[in-house]
Amino acid sequence: MTETTWLDATAQAELVRTGQASPAELVDAAIERVERVDPQLDAVIRNRFDAAREEARGELPAGPFCGVPLLLKDLGCHVAGEETNYGTSFLRDAGYRWPTDSYLAQRFRAAGFVVLGRTNVPEFGTTISTEPAAQSPARNPYDTNRSTGGSSGGSAAAVAAGLVPVAHANDGGGSIRIPAAECGLVGLKPTRARVSQGPDVGEGWAGATIDGVVTRSVRDTAAVLDVLAGPMPGDPYVAPPLARPLAGEVGAPVGRLRVGLLDVAPGEQYLDDPACRAAVEQAGRLLEELGCEVGPGMPEAMFDPQFPRFFTTTIAADVALTLSALERGALGRPIEDGDLEPRNVMYRAVGRKLSAEDYVGARMWLGRWTRRMAAFWTPRDQGGEGYDLLVTPTLAARPPELGWLTDAGPKQEGRRINSLMPFTSQFNVTGQPAISLPLHWTEEGLPIGVQLVAAFGREDVLVRVAAALEEAAPWSDRRPGVSA
């Protein structure tokens, strides 16, 4: 069989389609890589290898990714009869198995993917490093003393190390883009509601959460989103339809887009790594070479000091509700503070004290703020600034060392989290699509991500530009020190 370690999902699917490899061969090869390499990374926390082998040797759906191995994040994407533990010890110890498939799991299965297991996550996905108290931290394959990012850190480590070509991820404040940036991958956060969260969730974090994947190629990101996208009947709202499949945007002309480069320090409370600034400057030069009109620019509301407060209000309310629902359902017992990490104790306490007026007031403030943000992408003839893209660093600094977020105690944890992520959560709240690309590398060989943000509903613009940047500054030959 053809060596598959560094083939992307599109190429692996083509091997099956042309008879050069069987699904069983792809799955067996991926399982061997996980067993051999993952003990150095702790990216995969629970496997279903026997079931995967059986499925690969059976009758798989004839989807576009038939036989391609996949890992699911241990947060969301419930599969009937299987565990999803949200990075917690209490769900893990209870051995709770979800009663129904999520719509997303059905979509992955219909596409032909074969799931090998679940990946490491921080507890409830409420931080940006995958270091849960319930298990060992996920380790970055470029430097195992450093973070993979979060909350999709296990997924990112597994894909970056060549264990699988693609892995499920989701994003409520940067949790697709941040791990992609820290592990040298492509990470696209889709437009709000592009991927359904049904049937168990209407909207998470007041509409900020969305599912997707992390990959090594733009064409995989586009083609996988094509099979995941689409509303489930009963969804509270739907994303604007795309003109054509995103896979068709790969290689399409970029055109003369108006691009704003965020080239100012976001504030004293945030980190300001020169490598991240250099990454944006390099991206700007590449975009100019592609024919774009590039200059300084950012939405005037980008760093409104009240934004973190109101966004945190919605997260706290959601965490409190999630915990009470688990107490009534999956566990059937109270979840004590000692069951939780300090960060989530705080979120629950805040969420429980909120009044309905507080919560609705936060939603209303964020709605007004979102309209201020949208003006940046609104055409000039409609009173806006007329930009097509915003380019920022994905993070304010290179991947931190494991333990850095928490080693100064609970009071400092929130400040350090915020100091590292000034650029991502805004677009969870606005619902806009945003992608992180591995366009820059530090002197010690660490990846630095660059974020591109398009107008609401315009993943097509992001895919066209990302594919052109991938061709202009390819990253496919990059290999981490720990890899298959």
Side-chain angles (χ1 to χ4, degrees):
M1 184 187 74
T2 302
E3 169 58 42
T4 60
T5 300
W6 298 105
L7 295 182
D8 67 2
T10 301
Q12 292 195 29
E14 182 65 16
L15 292 179
V16 173
R17 225 174 351 260
T18 58
Q20 298 176 69
S22 68
E25 288 173 321
L26 295 184
V27 166
D28 286 343
I31 289 173
E32 186 278 330
R33 294 192 294 268
V34 174
E35 291 180 329
R36 174 166 47 88
V37 177
D38 190 60
Q40 300 173 73
L41 300 174
D42 288 311
V44 183
I45 57 168
R46 195 166 57 257
N47 75 67
R48 58 186 305 276
F49 292 161
D50 290 342
R53 288 189 175 105
E54 183 177 348
E55 290 165 9
R57 285 163 173 77
E59 192 71 26
L60 289 170
F65 292 99
C66 182
V68 175
L70 174 79
L71 289 164
L72 297 179
K73 181 177 176 179
D74 200 33
L75 184 65
C77 198
H78 302 154
V79 175
E82 297 188 3
E83 295 179 45
T84 304
N85 293 332
Y86 288 68
T88 69
S89 57
F90 51 83
L91 282 174
R92 179 199 63 200
D93 295 345
Y96 181 76
R97 296 176 183 271
W98 295 87
T100 56
D101 278 345
S102 66
Y103 196 53
L104 178 61
Q106 294 173 22
R107 290 270 180 151
F108 275 126
R109 188 179 298 119
F113 284 110
V114 179
V115 176
L116 304 187
R118 292 279 179 169
T119 61
N120 205 346
V121 299
E123 187 180 85
F124 288 109
T126 53
T127 186
I128 57 172
S129 187
T130 302
E131 304 176 54
Q135 56 223 8
S136 299
R139 296 181 177 276
N140 193 315
Y142 283 93
D143 179 345
T144 55
N145 292 315
R146 291 182 182 267
S147 172
T148 60
S151 60
S152 307
S155 289
V159 174
L163 308 188
V164 291
V166 59
H168 165 236
N170 41 39
D171 193 315
S175 290
I176 291 174
R177 292 158 288 161
I178 291 169
E182 295 195 7
C183 294
L185 300 175
V186 180
L188 170 60
K189 182 199 80 68
T191 293
R192 175 178 295 130
R194 182 71 69 200
V195 180
S196 174
Q197 298 182 75
D200 294 327
V201 177
E203 61 173 11
W205 290 13
T209 63
I210 187 77
D211 287 275
V213 291
V214 286
T215 74
R216 294 194 294 267
S217 69
V218 174
R219 70 176 185 173
D220 271 7
T221 290
V224 175
L225 186 51
D226 281 336
V227 301
L228 300 183
M232 180 182 184
D235 280 351
Y237 37 72
V238 299
L242 294 162
R244 60 176 175 172
L246 289 172
E249 304 294 348
V250 176
V254 169
R256 186 161 177 79
L257 302 177
R258 188 173 184 220
V259 178
L261 295 185
L262 198 160
D263 66 347
V264 298
E268 291 183 359
Q269 68 272 41
Y270 300 111
L271 300 174
D272 187 18
D273 191 323
C276 298
R277 284 178 173 262
V280 170
E281 292 169 5
Q282 178 188 358
R285 290 192 295 271
L286 290 171
L287 289 165
E288 284 184 330
E289 292 171 6
L290 291 172
C292 295
E293 177 190 340
V294 179
M298 71 171 188
E300 62 83 17
M302 182 81 181
F303 300 117
D304 190 307
Q306 294 194 76
F307 170 78
R309 169 190 163 198
F310 289 112
F311 183 44
T312 299
T313 296
T314 64
I315 296 172
D318 199 284
V319 169
L321 176 63
T322 297
L323 289 168
S324 63
L326 289 172
E327 289 175 331
R328 294 191 305 270
L331 286 179
R333 69 163 180 85
I335 298 171
E336 308 294 344
D337 283 356
D339 295 323
L340 296 168
E341 295 175 25
R343 175 185 66 257
N344 289 318
V345 171
M346 179 274 292
Y347 274 132
R348 179 167 68 173
V350 171
R352 282 175 166 174
K353 292 178 181 177
L354 289 172
S355 67
E357 185 177 357
D358 291 335
Y359 180 74
V360 174
R363 295 287 301 263
M364 291 184 67
W365 188 93
L366 291 169
R368 293 191 296 270
W369 172 87
T370 293
R371 290 175 177 85
R372 290 165 56 200
M373 290 287 286
F376 185 79
W377 288 267
T378 302
R380 286 168 167 169
D381 61 6
Q382 297 177 27
E385 296 182 56
Y387 284 91
D388 299 292
L389 283 177
L390 173 69
V391 180
T392 80
T394 307
L395 283 165
R398 64 197 70 198
E401 292 187 354
L402 290 170
W404 177 77
L405 289 178
T406 57
D407 65 11
K411 290 184 179 180
Q412 284 296 324
E413 182 181 9
R415 293 188 182 94
R416 288 189 174 184
I417 291 170
N418 289 334
S419 74
L420 193 55
M421 53 172 295
F423 308 110
T424 54
S425 58
Q426 291 92 333
F427 305 107
N428 294 85
V429 172
T430 67
Q432 291 168 253
I435 192 169
S436 181
L437 299 175
L439 290 175
H440 192 75
W441 305 80
T442 69
E443 63 282 355
E444 69 265 53
L446 296 172
I448 298 290
V450 173
Q451 177 179 238
L452 280 65
V453 186
F456 192 87
R458 297 308 305 269
E459 288 96 329
D460 54 345
V461 174
L462 290 184
V463 169
R464 285 200 297 270
V465 175
L469 289 170
E470 181 181 32
E471 184 175 358
W475 53 77
S476 62
D477 290 338
R478 296 274 186 176
R479 300 285 185 269
V482 176
S483 61

